[in-house]
Amino acid sequence: EVQLQASGGGLVQAGGSLRLSCVASGLPSTGDPYDMGWFRQAPGKEREGLGSISSKDGTTVYADSVKGRFTISSGNTKNTVYLQMNSLKPDDTAVYYCAADRVLAARFLYNLGWHDMDYWGKGTQVTVSS
């Protein structure tokens, strides 16, 4: 069974920082490797893609809305990724999700959408107070 477990959410003041972690287990080891990425969904809004990291070479892709403030990185343990969020704003308040998909980078680069992603994790709440 594939599981993606995100953690690290919480309450932070505007201007502060937070680091989220995601550990994926059970991903199939055959076929192309899985890229991993981060998404968020605020109340009443559509799910927004934040960025991804390639499992092949560590290349990252970011949405314009978070470029320069958020950084995605891989952990030393396989299938572990982090989302470092700096200069947080109240508009960053949302449930944050990690996901795994074999073509995630392409989805960001070519606006392919998220409706048929391979795997989603459960979210972690991030609340930024003003």
Side-chain angles (χ1 to χ4, degrees), residues 7-103:
S7 61
L11 175 64
V12 63
Q13 287 189 332
S17 299
L18 209 58
R19 189 175 85 153
L20 306 183
S21 303
C22 176
V23 178
S25 60
L27 289 172
S29 58
T30 57
D32 290 336
Y34 288 83
D35 295 338
M36 294 182 70
W38 288 95
F39 297 76
R40 68 185 179 188
Q41 189 164 16
K45 294 188 178 180
E46 292 187 355
R47 188 165 294 191
E48 177 187 13
L50 303 178
S52 68
I53 185 164
S54 168
S55 58
K56 296 176 185 176
D57 59 12
T59 301
T60 52
V61 179
Y62 295 97
D64 289 342
S65 59
V66 300
K67 203 174 289 184
R69 294 193 301 128
F70 290 8
T71 303
I72 297 174
S73 60
S74 295
N76 292 327
T77 305
K78 188 179 179 182
N79 293 333
T80 300
V81 293
Y82 302 101
L83 177 67
Q84 177 67 43
M85 303 184 291
N86 298 328
S87 302
L88 284 163
K89 309 171 185 178
D91 284 349
D92 295 318
T93 295
V95 178
Y96 284 69
Y97 301 87
C98 62
D101 187 85
R102 284 186 161 137
V103 294

XYZ file of all heavy atoms in Angstrom, residues 7-103:
710
model
N 3.986 16.074 7.260
C 3.994 16.559 8.636
C 4.703 17.905 8.701
O 5.351 18.329 7.741
C 4.696 15.542 9.549
O 6.036 15.368 9.147
N 4.587 18.549 9.855
C 5.284 19.807 10.056
C 4.417 21.041 9.998
O 4.911 22.154 10.191
N 3.156 20.863 9.716
C 2.266 22.014 9.662
C 2.034 22.605 11.040
O 2.393 22.018 12.057
N 1.424 23.772 11.064
C 1.139 24.411 12.328
C 0.763 25.866 12.150
O 0.451 26.306 11.042
N 0.834 26.583 13.237
C 0.495 28.004 13.253
C 1.784 28.819 13.311
O 2.665 28.550 14.141
C -0.376 28.318 14.466
C -0.724 29.788 14.713
C -1.576 30.335 13.581
C -1.438 29.927 16.056
N 1.891 29.796 12.417
C 3.087 30.640 12.373
C 2.659 32.066 12.083
O 1.643 32.293 11.414
C 4.075 30.108 11.306
C 3.469 30.162 9.911
C 5.401 30.834 11.362
N 3.430 33.007 12.560
C 3.121 34.411 12.297
C 3.602 34.812 10.909
O 4.559 34.224 10.370
C 3.789 35.305 13.338
C 3.130 35.245 14.707
C 3.665 36.286 15.651
O 4.808 36.712 15.541
N 2.838 36.724 16.598
N 2.953 35.804 10.363
C 3.362 36.322 9.062
C 4.833 36.727 9.109
O 5.295 37.318 10.090
C 2.496 37.509 8.666
N 5.541 36.392 8.051
C 6.967 36.661 7.989
C 7.822 35.527 8.497
O 9.048 35.524 8.300
N 7.191 34.566 9.141
C 7.918 33.442 9.694
C 8.178 32.348 8.681
O 7.862 32.469 7.489
N 8.780 31.272 9.170
C 9.140 30.143 8.319
C 8.605 28.842 8.892
O 8.343 28.741 10.098
C 10.666 30.039 8.189
O 11.218 31.187 7.594
N 8.487 27.874 8.028
C 8.011 26.550 8.425
C 8.596 25.552 7.447
O 8.749 25.862 6.242
C 6.483 26.520 8.382
C 5.718 25.589 9.317
C 6.053 25.876 10.772
C 4.217 25.739 9.080
N 8.916 24.373 7.918
C 9.388 23.314 7.021
C 8.478 22.107 7.149
O 8.302 21.554 8.234
C 10.822 22.907 7.328
C 11.396 21.970 6.266
C 12.855 21.632 6.476
N 13.016 20.519 7.392
C 14.053 19.700 7.377
N 15.025 19.864 6.494
N 14.153 18.724 8.260
N 7.940 21.706 6.021
C 7.114 20.515 5.954
C 7.943 19.339 5.459
O 8.863 19.511 4.667
C 5.926 20.726 5.015
C 5.025 21.940 5.280
C 3.864 21.943 4.290
C 4.538 21.951 6.693
N 7.584 18.160 5.934
C 8.247 16.929 5.516
C 7.222 15.976 4.927
O 6.051 16.013 5.306
C 8.921 16.252 6.710
O 9.843 17.094 7.338
N 7.673 15.159 4.033
C 6.815 14.123 3.449
C 7.642 12.864 3.246
O 8.708 12.906 2.631
C 6.227 14.592 2.127
S 5.238 13.326 1.282
N 7.120 11.771 3.744
C 7.769 10.480 3.552
C 6.816 9.578 2.785
O 5.669 9.400 3.195
C 8.133 9.823 4.893
C 8.771 8.464 4.656
C 9.063 10.727 5.693
N 7.294 9.041 1.688
C 6.490 8.129 0.882
C 6.981 6.705 1.103
O 8.177 6.450 1.136
C 6.587 8.486 -0.594
N 6.037 5.803 1.252
C 6.379 4.389 1.392
C 5.505 3.566 0.458
O 4.385 3.966 0.132
C 6.194 3.924 2.831
O 4.848 4.092 3.233
N 6.044 2.442 0.026
C 5.263 1.540 -0.805
C 5.195 1.908 -2.273
O 4.469 1.260 -3.030
N 5.947 2.933 -2.701
C 5.920 3.281 -4.121
C 6.492 2.135 -4.947
O 7.518 1.566 -4.579
C 6.723 4.548 -4.385
C 6.128 5.857 -3.872
C 7.127 6.982 -4.034
C 4.834 6.185 -4.613
N 5.857 1.802 -6.041
C 6.375 0.705 -6.881
C 7.816 0.966 -7.299
O 8.171 2.094 -7.664
C 5.434 0.728 -8.088
C 4.176 1.323 -7.577
C 4.608 2.342 -6.568
N 8.633 -0.044 -7.250
C 10.044 0.115 -7.579
C 10.351 -0.215 -9.033
O 11.468 0.008 -9.495
C 10.890 -0.766 -6.663
O 10.490 -2.116 -6.808
N 9.365 -0.713 -9.747
C 9.555 -1.010 -11.167
C 9.071 0.165 -12.004
O 8.265 0.971 -11.554
C 8.792 -2.281 -11.567
O 7.404 -2.102 -11.248
C 9.326 -3.488 -10.821
N 9.581 0.263 -13.214
C 9.169 1.359 -14.086
C 9.899 2.639 -13.754
O 10.861 2.658 -12.982
N 9.449 3.727 -14.341
C 10.071 5.030 -14.111
C 9.921 5.442 -12.644
O 8.901 5.158 -12.015
C 9.422 6.091 -14.996
C 9.770 5.897 -16.463
O 10.820 5.283 -16.738
O 8.981 6.332 -17.318
N 10.921 6.123 -12.109
C 10.814 6.579 -10.722
C 9.786 7.696 -10.585
O 9.372 8.309 -11.579
C 12.233 7.091 -10.424
C 12.795 7.458 -11.744
C 12.199 6.495 -12.733
N 9.402 7.966 -9.353
C 8.373 8.958 -9.082
C 8.996 10.288 -8.677
O 9.825 10.341 -7.776
C 7.454 8.464 -7.966
C 6.538 7.356 -8.395
C 6.970 6.036 -8.417
C 5.245 7.635 -8.803
C 6.137 5.024 -8.829
C 4.395 6.623 -9.212
C 4.850 5.318 -9.227
O 4.019 4.323 -9.644
N 8.544 11.332 -9.334
C 8.827 12.666 -8.835
C 7.896 12.923 -7.663
O 6.811 12.344 -7.562
C 8.554 13.724 -9.911
C 9.476 13.590 -11.104
O 10.560 12.993 -10.965
O 9.099 14.083 -12.180
N 8.333 13.816 -6.780
C 7.468 14.177 -5.662
C 7.268 15.678 -5.641
O 8.119 16.431 -6.127
C 8.052 13.679 -4.351
C 8.074 12.155 -4.273
S 8.711 11.509 -2.728
C 7.394 11.968 -1.592
N 6.146 16.081 -5.096
C 5.860 17.513 -5.118
C 4.916 17.926 -4.010
O 4.444 17.095 -3.224
N 4.659 19.216 -3.994
C 3.812 19.800 -2.957
C 2.680 20.605 -3.572
O 2.864 21.283 -4.605
C 4.643 20.716 -2.047
C 5.567 19.971 -1.159
C 6.884 19.683 -1.392
C 5.252 19.404 0.114
N 7.406 18.971 -0.345
C 6.430 18.785 0.603
C 4.108 19.351 0.909
C 6.472 18.131 1.827
C 4.166 18.707 2.124
C 5.322 18.109 2.573
N 1.547 20.551 -2.910
C 0.347 21.246 -3.320
C -0.290 21.861 -2.081
O 0.063 21.516 -0.953
C -0.645 20.262 -3.964
C -0.130 19.629 -5.221
C 0.814 18.620 -5.181
C -0.584 20.058 -6.453
C 1.314 18.045 -6.341
C -0.113 19.493 -7.624
C 0.838 18.486 -7.557
N -1.225 22.741 -2.309
C -1.995 23.271 -1.188
C -3.403 23.599 -1.656
O -3.644 23.822 -2.846
C -1.330 24.521 -0.601
C -1.340 25.735 -1.522
C -0.564 26.877 -0.899
N -0.527 28.057 -1.757
C 0.217 29.126 -1.507
N 0.983 29.168 -0.408
N 0.194 30.149 -2.333
N -4.295 23.624 -0.692
C -5.678 23.978 -0.992
C -6.235 24.800 0.156
O -6.294 24.324 1.289
C -6.531 22.734 -1.227
C -7.914 23.057 -1.752
C -8.611 21.845 -2.339
O -8.216 20.700 -2.121
N -9.649 22.089 -3.114
N -6.602 26.005 -0.172
C -7.222 26.895 0.805
C -8.728 26.736 0.727
O -9.268 26.318 -0.313
C -6.820 28.337 0.516
N -9.447 27.069 1.784
C -10.906 26.939 1.777
C -11.523 27.695 0.608
O -11.211 28.862 0.374
C -11.310 27.548 3.120
C -10.122 27.374 3.991
C -8.942 27.537 3.084
N -12.372 27.008 -0.121
C -13.078 27.645 -1.228
C -12.259 27.832 -2.485
O -12.732 28.427 -3.457
N -11.037 27.324 -2.485
C -10.167 27.488 -3.652
C -9.777 26.132 -4.210
O -9.856 25.106 -3.537
C -8.916 28.284 -3.278
C -9.203 29.727 -2.889
C -7.913 30.493 -2.716
C -8.188 31.955 -2.385
N -6.926 32.721 -2.215
N -9.340 26.159 -5.460
C -8.877 24.930 -6.099
C -7.498 24.552 -5.558
O -6.756 25.389 -5.041
C -8.800 25.124 -7.613
C -10.148 25.297 -8.274
C -10.042 25.324 -9.797
O -8.901 25.310 -10.307
O -11.085 25.358 -10.455
N -7.190 23.282 -5.707
C -5.871 22.822 -5.299
C -4.820 23.469 -6.191
O -4.947 23.505 -7.409
C -5.786 21.305 -5.378
C -4.522 20.731 -4.784
C -4.646 19.248 -4.556
N -5.653 18.945 -3.537
C -5.819 17.740 -2.993
N -5.047 16.745 -3.368
N -6.754 17.544 -2.096
N -3.774 23.966 -5.561
C -2.717 24.691 -6.263
C -1.413 23.918 -6.194
O -0.986 23.496 -5.116
C -2.530 26.075 -5.618
C -1.409 26.894 -6.201
C -1.146 28.177 -5.417
O -1.662 28.315 -4.290
O -0.391 29.037 -5.925
N -0.788 23.735 -7.322
C 0.519 23.093 -7.355
C 1.592 24.077 -6.965
O 1.609 25.202 -7.464
N 2.495 23.675 -6.085
C 3.566 24.551 -5.612
C 4.890 24.236 -6.284
O 5.664 25.135 -6.594
C 3.708 24.428 -4.102
C 2.445 24.724 -3.294
C 2.712 24.523 -1.807
C 1.935 26.119 -3.569
N 5.185 22.982 -6.466
C 6.445 22.635 -7.095
C 6.727 21.157 -6.990
O 6.016 20.419 -6.301
N 7.780 20.736 -7.674
C 8.137 19.328 -7.680
C 9.645 19.186 -7.697
O 10.385 20.131 -7.998
C 7.538 18.625 -8.899
O 8.165 19.086 -10.089
N 10.090 17.967 -7.376
C 11.512 17.643 -7.432
C 11.668 16.308 -8.123
O 10.930 15.358 -7.852
C 12.147 17.642 -6.020
C 13.657 17.435 -6.118
C 11.501 16.606 -5.104
C 14.403 17.796 -4.834
N 12.619 16.268 -9.036
C 12.846 15.054 -9.803
C 13.599 14.036 -8.970
O 14.580 14.356 -8.308
C 13.648 15.384 -11.065
O 14.114 14.212 -11.670
N 13.134 12.791 -9.039
C 13.833 11.720 -8.331
C 15.082 11.281 -9.084
O 15.937 10.607 -8.538
C 12.895 10.531 -8.140
O 12.441 10.078 -9.397
N 15.191 11.685 -10.357
C 16.343 11.275 -11.164
C 17.554 12.162 -10.899
O 18.665 11.666 -10.711
C 15.971 11.323 -12.645
C 14.883 10.360 -13.045
C 14.508 10.538 -14.506
C 13.339 9.653 -14.884
N 12.885 9.884 -16.278
N 17.339 13.480 -10.907
C 18.483 14.381 -10.801
C 18.287 15.538 -9.828
O 19.140 16.421 -9.742
C 18.848 14.951 -12.181
C 17.701 15.717 -12.822
O 16.712 16.013 -12.130
O 17.805 16.026 -14.023
N 17.175 15.549 -9.100
C 16.944 16.596 -8.116
C 16.516 17.929 -8.680
O 16.431 18.916 -7.943
N 16.230 17.979 -9.960
C 15.779 19.233 -10.568
C 14.437 19.646 -9.977
O 13.554 18.812 -9.793
C 15.631 19.071 -12.082
O 16.892 18.683 -12.634
C 15.178 20.373 -12.723
N 14.314 20.926 -9.667
C 13.078 21.428 -9.092
C 12.355 22.363 -10.060
O 12.973 23.022 -10.887
C 13.342 22.178 -7.785
O 14.360 23.163 -8.014
C 13.798 21.234 -6.686
N 11.048 22.373 -9.924
C 10.180 23.270 -10.685
C 9.233 23.907 -9.682
O 8.728 23.214 -8.790
C 9.372 22.494 -11.747
C 8.456 23.438 -12.516
C 10.294 21.765 -12.697
N 8.990 25.199 -9.843
C 8.141 25.907 -8.890
C 7.054 26.700 -9.598
O 7.245 27.205 -10.705
C 8.964 26.886 -8.053
C 9.973 26.232 -7.159
C 11.300 26.112 -7.549
C 9.598 25.714 -5.922
C 12.237 25.499 -6.733
C 10.525 25.099 -5.099
C 11.842 25.001 -5.505
O 12.760 24.388 -4.692
N 5.931 26.832 -8.907
C 4.899 27.741 -9.379
C 5.367 29.173 -9.140
O 6.087 29.444 -8.171
C 3.605 27.482 -8.622
N 4.962 30.070 -10.000
C 5.375 31.462 -9.869
C 4.958 32.060 -8.530
O 5.645 32.922 -7.987
C 4.776 32.302 -11.009
C 5.413 32.005 -12.347
O 6.528 31.424 -12.366
O 4.805 32.333 -13.375
N 3.861 31.574 -7.985
C 3.318 32.164 -6.757
C 4.226 31.950 -5.547
O 4.134 32.687 -4.563
C 1.932 31.588 -6.465
O 2.001 30.181 -6.317
N 5.109 30.963 -5.615
C 5.964 30.669 -4.457
C 7.443 30.719 -4.791
O 8.290 30.521 -3.904
C 5.622 29.298 -3.842
C 4.175 29.275 -3.374
C 5.904 28.171 -4.827
N 7.766 30.981 -6.037
C 9.166 31.004 -6.447
C 9.916 32.062 -5.643
O 9.474 33.195 -5.506
C 9.228 31.306 -7.951
C 10.489 30.853 -8.633
C 10.383 31.077 -10.134
C 9.409 30.121 -10.778
N 9.367 30.257 -12.254
N 11.048 31.670 -5.090
C 11.843 32.596 -4.296
C 11.542 32.547 -2.811
O 12.355 32.985 -1.999
N 10.373 32.039 -2.432
C 10.015 31.929 -1.009
C 10.011 30.489 -0.527
O 10.331 30.209 0.620
C 8.637 32.543 -0.744
C 8.533 34.026 -0.948
C 7.238 34.558 -0.347
N 6.060 33.933 -0.927
C 5.088 33.361 -0.206
N 5.173 33.310 1.109
N 4.035 32.841 -0.816
N 9.618 29.572 -1.394
C 9.515 28.165 -1.028
C 10.624 27.374 -1.728
O 10.965 27.653 -2.882
C 8.175 27.592 -1.444
C 6.984 28.110 -0.652
C 7.110 29.148 0.253
C 5.738 27.532 -0.831
C 6.027 29.612 0.968
C 4.633 27.977 -0.121
C 4.781 29.035 0.778
N 11.144 26.379 -1.025
C 12.189 25.527 -1.586
C 11.862 24.073 -1.314
O 11.566 23.708 -0.169
C 13.556 25.857 -0.976
O 13.857 27.235 -1.187
C 14.644 25.001 -1.611
N 11.928 23.274 -2.354
C 11.712 21.831 -2.230
C 13.063 21.139 -2.285
O 13.903 21.449 -3.137
C 10.804 21.316 -3.352
C 9.415 21.966 -3.245
C 10.667 19.799 -3.281
C 8.490 21.616 -4.398
N 13.250 20.201 -1.388
C 14.506 19.459 -1.370
C 14.228 18.008 -1.013
O 13.161 17.674 -0.494
C 15.496 20.073 -0.376
O 14.949 20.058 0.925
N 15.212 17.177 -1.303
C 15.107 15.759 -0.972
C 15.879 15.476 0.299
O 16.888 16.119 0.583
C 15.683 14.903 -2.101
O 14.930 15.046 -3.267
N 15.391 14.479 1.028
C 16.100 14.061 2.211
C 17.133 12.991 1.895
O 17.205 12.497 0.773
N 17.918 12.635 2.872
C 18.907 11.575 2.691
C 18.229 10.224 2.538
O 18.774 9.304 1.908
C 19.874 11.543 3.870
C 20.752 12.769 3.915
O 21.105 13.317 2.869
N 21.113 13.206 5.094
N 17.066 10.093 3.130
C 16.301 8.855 3.009
C 15.498 8.902 1.716
O 14.892 9.916 1.392
C 15.346 8.683 4.206
O 16.100 8.770 5.402
C 14.632 7.346 4.130
N 15.497 7.804 0.997
C 14.775 7.751 -0.266
C 13.300 8.079 -0.054
O 12.702 7.699 0.948
C 14.916 6.353 -0.873
C 14.374 6.238 -2.281
C 14.571 4.826 -2.824
C 14.010 4.702 -4.226
N 14.144 3.334 -4.762
N 12.744 8.791 -1.012
C 11.316 9.141 -1.005
C 10.933 10.030 0.170
O 9.821 9.934 0.695
C 10.439 7.885 -1.029
C 10.569 7.138 -2.342
O 10.870 7.732 -3.379
N 10.362 5.839 -2.306
N 11.865 10.869 0.583
C 11.584 11.907 1.579
C 11.826 13.257 0.932
O 12.882 13.476 0.327
C 12.493 11.759 2.805
O 12.277 10.495 3.414
C 12.203 12.855 3.816
N 10.865 14.129 1.046
C 11.020 15.473 0.495
C 10.598 16.490 1.538
O 9.814 16.192 2.445
C 10.201 15.679 -0.795
C 10.731 14.824 -1.911
C 8.730 15.451 -0.552
N 11.124 17.686 1.371
C 10.825 18.768 2.281
C 10.304 19.977 1.514
O 10.630 20.159 0.337
C 12.085 19.178 3.059
C 12.701 18.061 3.839
C 13.820 17.390 3.366
C 12.159 17.663 5.056
C 14.384 16.352 4.082
C 12.717 16.626 5.784
C 13.828 15.976 5.289
O 14.379 14.937 6.002
N 9.539 20.781 2.202
C 9.103 22.060 1.667
C 9.464 23.126 2.695
O 8.841 23.196 3.758
C 7.596 22.070 1.392
C 7.040 23.403 0.884
C 7.591 23.714 -0.509
C 5.506 23.369 0.844
N 10.495 23.901 2.381
C 10.894 25.000 3.247
C 10.131 26.246 2.807
O 10.240 26.654 1.643
C 12.397 25.241 3.144
C 12.889 26.426 3.968
C 12.760 26.208 5.460
O 13.062 25.134 5.955
N 12.320 27.230 6.180
N 9.376 26.809 3.721
C 8.553 27.974 3.400
C 9.034 29.168 4.219
O 9.034 29.107 5.454
C 7.077 27.685 3.712
C 6.544 26.459 2.981
S 4.784 26.181 3.254
C 4.784 25.722 4.986
N 9.451 30.203 3.535
C 9.934 31.416 4.184
C 9.042 32.600 3.847
O 8.270 32.562 2.895
C 11.370 31.707 3.728
C 12.342 30.612 4.110
O 12.191 29.957 5.144
N 13.344 30.406 3.263
N 9.178 33.646 4.640
C 8.403 34.878 4.418
C 6.918 34.566 4.241
O 6.272 35.032 3.299
C 8.939 35.615 3.191
O 10.305 35.935 3.342
N 6.397 33.779 5.145
C 5.011 33.335 5.012
C 4.035 34.490 5.156
O 4.264 35.445 5.917
C 4.711 32.253 6.036
C 5.290 30.875 5.670
C 5.339 29.969 6.880
C 4.493 30.245 4.552
N 2.942 34.373 4.415
C 1.896 35.376 4.404
C 0.579 34.738 4.809
O 0.403 33.535 4.652
C 1.741 35.942 2.994
C 3.022 36.410 2.334
C 2.786 36.737 0.872
C 4.058 37.099 0.162
N 3.844 37.373 -1.284
N -0.367 35.525 5.290
C -1.678 34.947 5.611
C -2.302 34.214 4.417
O -3.013 33.227 4.623
C -2.495 36.179 6.012
C -1.476 37.104 6.603
C -0.252 36.916 5.760
N -2.029 34.665 3.200
C -2.568 33.995 2.017
C -1.987 32.601 1.805
O -2.495 31.836 0.991
C -2.287 34.830 0.757
C -3.219 36.020 0.646
O -4.199 36.082 1.425
O -2.975 36.889 -0.203
N -0.930 32.273 2.535
C -0.360 30.927 2.445
C -1.112 29.928 3.312
O -0.803 28.725 3.279
C 1.117 30.946 2.862
C 1.981 31.748 1.912
O 1.793 31.628 0.683
O 2.852 32.495 2.399
N -2.074 30.397 4.074
C -2.868 29.510 4.910
C -3.633 28.519 4.039
O -4.366 28.915 3.136
C -3.852 30.315 5.769
O -3.106 31.126 6.690
C -4.795 29.403 6.532
N -3.445 27.237 4.309
C -4.056 26.186 3.489
C -3.712 24.836 4.093
O -2.893 24.734 5.008
C -3.547 26.257 2.052
N -4.345 23.814 3.554
C -3.910 22.445 3.811
C -2.872 22.104 2.747
O -3.126 22.283 1.550
C -5.085 21.462 3.770
C -4.579 20.036 3.991
C -6.132 21.832 4.815
N -1.734 21.635 3.172
C -0.630 21.316 2.270
C -0.535 19.804 2.090
O -0.588 19.051 3.069
C 0.674 21.872 2.822
C 0.791 23.368 2.628
C -0.015 24.247 3.332
C 1.701 23.900 1.720
C 0.065 25.614 3.131
C 1.804 25.271 1.515
C 0.981 26.122 2.230
O 1.066 27.479 2.027
N -0.375 19.398 0.832
C -0.321 17.991 0.479
C 0.968 17.686 -0.259
O 1.458 18.500 -1.033
C -1.475 17.623 -0.455
C -2.856 17.869 0.085
C -3.471 19.110 -0.054
C -3.558 16.838 0.724
C -4.753 19.329 0.439
C -4.841 17.057 1.214
C -5.426 18.306 1.072
O -6.690 18.521 1.554
N 1.484 16.503 -0.044
C 2.541 16.029 -0.919
C 1.953 14.977 -1.855
O 0.896 14.394 -1.580
C 3.726 15.467 -0.139
S 3.364 14.037 0.884
N 2.627 14.760 -2.948
C 2.137 13.832 -3.958
C 3.307 13.218 -4.694
O 4.416 13.762 -4.704
C 1.214 14.555 -4.940
N 3.053 12.091 -5.299
C 4.052 11.402 -6.110
C 3.438 11.074 -7.462
O 2.300 10.607 -7.535
C 4.529 10.127 -5.418
N 4.210 11.325 -8.487
C 3.711 11.095 -9.842
C 4.894 10.913 -10.774
O 5.913 11.591 -10.605
C 2.850 12.285 -10.290
C 2.167 12.047 -11.608
O 1.085 11.444 -11.606
O 2.736 12.448 -12.637
N 4.760 10.061 -11.762
C 5.901 9.774 -12.640
C 6.195 10.904 -13.619
O 7.305 10.966 -14.154
C 5.644 8.465 -13.388
C 5.852 7.253 -12.482
C 5.738 5.953 -13.223
N 6.351 4.874 -12.473
C 5.823 3.678 -12.325
N 4.662 3.396 -12.885
N 6.456 2.745 -11.640
N 5.231 11.779 -13.824
C 5.467 12.882 -14.769
C 5.158 14.223 -14.122
O 4.671 15.156 -14.782
C 4.647 12.688 -16.064
C 5.137 11.472 -16.827
C 3.167 12.567 -15.744
